[in-house]
Amino acid sequence: FCRRSAHLRFVIGMAPLCVRFKACVPVAFVCLLVSSSWLVSGSRLSGGLGLEELKVPLAAKPLGGAPPVVLWHGMGDTYSSSGMSEIADTIKSHTGGAFVYSVRISDDASKDREFTFLGDMNAMLAQVCDDLAKIPELQDGFNAIGFSQGGQFLRAYVQRCNKPRVKNLVTMGGQHMGVSNYPGCLGNNPVCRTVRALLELGAYNPSVQK
């Protein structure tokens, strides 16, 4: 995966020393955004879900002419949160002021957060496809970075519309192979078994999926 990028090997090698996510972000983004090496190419992310291989053509520009960046936050977060704003500022400061757009379903931050829990994924994705197509700075392509749920949604963007196209797709904590257990309930005790059984019964109910 990283054999052509000394920068990325360095990031991965330092990963055990990163005891706080925030401490890793600046170094990781610098390496990911200014490196000319490929990041994702023909990676099979489907995990047996029947999806086609995801192939993203890469042509990252050198520092000083860095491509724009699109961010998509995770569940419970908002496009304008302090964390997302800090990430955007970090990217700008290390790329000579690259254009950064943080995906939002609503300009109202509270509603944007609400959509991460209750929004219809298909409708949200259609909206984002339309929104990105209208942003002039993105028309020649962009790097995309998604966090948790946002990583899955950006993957869906590439697979469903990808106009304007994604050059580099980076996801952090995306559940590309699904979720096998209720978070924080990994044991085999009766409570965890019951919770898992109930979730398995209802997770794929059409009304729940809708």
Side-chain angles (χ1 to χ4, degrees):
F1 178 81
C2 298
R3 63 178 180 271
R4 294 181 58 193
S5 173
H7 299 299
L8 290 174
R9 287 199 298 271
F10 170 77
V11 172
I12 291 176
M14 292 295 289
L17 301 180
C18 294
V19 295
R20 294 180 60 192
F21 174 75
K22 180 179 177 181
C24 303
V25 169
V27 175
F29 281 138
V30 173
C31 295
L32 293 172
L33 294 175
V34 306
S35 172
S36 60
S37 300
W38 56 270
L39 301 177
V40 180
S41 181
S43 300
R44 182 171 293 280
L45 304 176
S46 64
L49 296 180
L51 298 176
E52 297 179 354
E53 283 192 25
L54 176 62
K55 295 183 178 179
V56 183
L58 304 181
K61 299 178 182 178
L63 186 64
V69 179
V70 170
L71 307 175
W72 200 330
H73 61 82
M75 181 178 286
D77 201 356
T78 75
Y79 76 96
S80 59
S81 67
S82 59
M84 294 301 293
S85 297
E86 182 178 357
I87 291 170
D89 290 342
T90 299
I91 293 172
K92 292 175 184 178
S93 66
H94 287 91
T95 58
F99 176 81
V100 180
Y101 177 79
S102 188
V103 170
R104 74 289 309 267
I105 304 302
S106 172
D107 289 330
D108 184 324
S110 63
K111 290 183 179 179
D112 190 51
R113 178 182 289 111
E114 181 180 327
F115 276 115
T116 68
F117 295 105
L118 303 176
D120 182 321
M121 182 268 175
N122 292 301
M124 292 191 295
L125 183 60
Q127 175 184 324
V128 171
C129 287
D130 289 340
D131 290 346
L132 298 188
K134 296 174 182 176
I135 299 176
E137 292 87 348
L138 303 180
Q139 298 314 299
D140 290 332
F142 58 89
N143 289 333
I145 304 172
F147 301 89
S148 190
Q149 177 178 266
Q152 290 176 286
F153 287 178
L154 280 171
R155 170 189 169 185
Y157 171 88
V158 171
Q159 292 176 310
R160 293 192 181 185
C161 52
N162 205 32
K163 293 181 181 179
R165 74 181 182 91
V166 169
K167 296 184 176 184
N168 297 324
L169 173 60
V170 180
T171 71
M172 298 185 180
Q175 303 80 16
H176 295 296
M177 296 188 69
V179 179
S180 62
N181 289 287
Y182 183 73
C185 199
L186 303 180
N188 197 35
N189 61 67
V191 174
C192 287
R193 289 201 303 269
T194 301
V195 170
R196 283 196 293 270
L198 291 173
L199 290 174
E200 289 172 1
L201 284 174
Y204 296 100
N205 182 286
S207 61
V208 174
Q209 287 291 306
K210 185 66 174 177

